[in-house]
Amino acid sequence: AIGALCWNVPCAGKTLLVTSDGKIMPRIGYGYQSKRGELLAILAMASVSSENELRIDDLRGTVKDLVEWEQNSVRRGSDLSLTLFGLANYLGPDATWTNAAGETWSLDTIAAEELDRTAPVTDVAAVERLMGLSAYVVWARKNDVLRSGRPLQVERYVARFHDHALKLQSSEGTWGPHFFGYQASGGIDSRGSLNSTSNILLWLTMSLSDEQLHRPEMARAAAQVNNGLAAQLKRQRIETLSPQELSTTMVGLRAISEYDHRLFGFSDVHSEPDLEKSTSDGKSARITKR
């Protein structure tokens, strides 16, 4: 799927990438990105290298070109949540740049914009805003940025929202269909509840400390998403899902995967020894796990 996106393979007759003044840019609209920075955020979440190739017909580029496009396109007063998430995963500690309007920007500037921006608490936009701010906190820690000024301000804001989110969680481990709008009650009893719980679980698993992630509330949330996905796919085949249902399913699967990775880690298959299996003629066949 990542290869198809990066090589601009048509999907339902649509191609995601286009060129503008010889530069590669992703489209925004129905069937494309839902908002600015979404493709870069997806690539960052999938740990795609900045050297990974992008293709548009005979034109060749890399994810670096997409990073530069997003840097050039930042604008004040706009939703920069996914742009912040993507850039925080690809830029170093000293990155500053000038956008197309001639303004000087940095990740600190984007974080300040996102802190000042209001996102509706009853919508997934609130979670995306928190995802971007949390990625900024991770970026600051990874690059040993001093815990003062903007990094400390954002870190404290995210921590307060951690507490707020867990207070709104139901005893069964879910969040209501209106996200942070009110106290949830009951289990996964609607597609809306599965959507909100999947998105909030994904954000929490990517931003909580190891100690916090081991709390029973998180285990209950992961179990609810897992059971909700199983029930949904038992009722209908995945290819019959609507775009919203498919999006909920993908976010839920990613949340479960991230939770599993944080708690138990992925096995390093490359470090496993080769296995030898006896064949019917008594000879030894070497099998390498991939």
Side-chain angles (χ1 to χ4, degrees):
I2 293 294
L5 289 173
C6 290
W7 285 14
N8 216 29
V9 174
C11 181
K14 299 175 182 289
T15 52
L16 179 60
L17 301 174
V18 293
T19 58
S20 175
D21 296 328
K23 297 183 181 298
I24 295 176
M25 60 172 284
R27 292 171 170 168
I28 298 177
Y30 182 77
Y32 304 112
Q33 292 187 122
S34 62
K35 63 170 66 175
R36 187 181 303 280
E38 187 172 28
L39 175 59
L40 187 64
I42 289 173
L43 298 179
M45 195 177 296
S47 300
V48 176
S49 167
S50 61
E51 300 295 336
N52 195 73
E53 185 181 58
L54 302 181
R55 289 186 182 184
I56 301 179
D57 299 323
D58 294 331
L59 179 65
R60 300 291 187 268
T62 67
V63 173
K64 280 184 180 179
D65 296 309
L66 188 59
V67 170
E68 291 175 3
W69 171 263
E70 295 296 348
Q71 288 178 288
N72 196 49
S73 303
V74 291
R75 295 292 185 274
R76 297 189 184 280
S78 59
D79 182 346
L80 298 174
S81 55
L82 297 183
T83 301
L84 178 57
F85 185 94
L87 293 180
N89 279 273
Y90 286 109
L91 297 181
D94 302 319
T96 59
W97 66 93
T98 302
N99 69 357
E103 303 167 332
T104 300
W105 283 77
S106 66
L107 287 181
D108 282 355
T109 312
I110 300 179
E113 286 286 309
E114 282 298 292
L115 273 181
D116 291 340
R117 186 174 65 87
T118 300
V121 295
T122 58
D123 190 81
V124 69
V127 182
E128 291 173 344
R129 176 170 173 266
L130 290 167
M131 291 268 293
L133 291 171
S134 298
Y136 171 79
V137 173
V138 172
W139 166 86
R141 291 174 178 171
K142 182 177 70 174
N143 290 286
D144 294 325
V145 176
L146 289 177
R147 293 184 63 189
S148 61
R150 188 76 62 208
L152 182 59
Q153 182 185 13
V154 175
E155 184 176 330
R156 287 174 173 172
Y157 180 86
V158 171
R160 288 197 300 270
F161 234 98
H162 284 156
D163 294 337
H164 179 63
L166 292 173
K167 287 178 182 177
L168 296 177
Q169 187 184 27
S170 74
S171 58
E172 284 83 358
T174 63
W175 285 270
H178 296 292
F179 293 86
F180 304 116
Y182 54 81
Q183 175 79 42
S185 61
I188 296 286
D189 56 4
S190 69
R191 290 172 180 168
S193 179
L194 178 58
N195 182 43
S196 59
T197 303
S198 296
N199 275 279
I200 294 173
L201 175 63
L202 177 57
W203 163 59
L204 289 174
T205 55
M206 298 181 74
S207 59
L208 287 175
S209 67
D210 291 341
E211 181 180 359
Q212 290 171 314
L213 201 62
H214 280 80
R215 293 171 61 167
E217 299 97 309
M218 297 303 298
R220 287 195 288 267
Q224 287 286 351
V225 170
N226 186 69
N227 294 338
L229 291 174
Q232 175 174 276
L233 296 179
K234 186 180 293 184
R235 291 192 302 269
Q236 53 189 322
R237 295 167 60 178
I238 194 167
E239 59 266 29
T240 68
L241 299 179
S242 69
Q244 178 59 48
E245 291 168 337
L246 185 59
S247 175
T248 295
T249 300
M250 295 299 102
V251 172
L253 290 171
R254 178 65 193 183
I256 294 296
S257 173
E258 187 72 20
Y259 180 79
D260 178 71
H261 170 59
R262 285 287 309 277
L263 258 70
F264 309 110
F266 291 130
S267 61
D268 185 2
V269 296
H270 297 292
S271 66
E272 293 180 1
D274 290 350
L275 304 180
E276 289 192 349
K277 179 180 178 181
S278 296
T279 60
S280 57
D281 61 1
K283 295 180 179 179
S284 179
R286 184 165 290 279
I287 301 171
T288 303
K289 283 192 174 184
R290 299 295 181 191

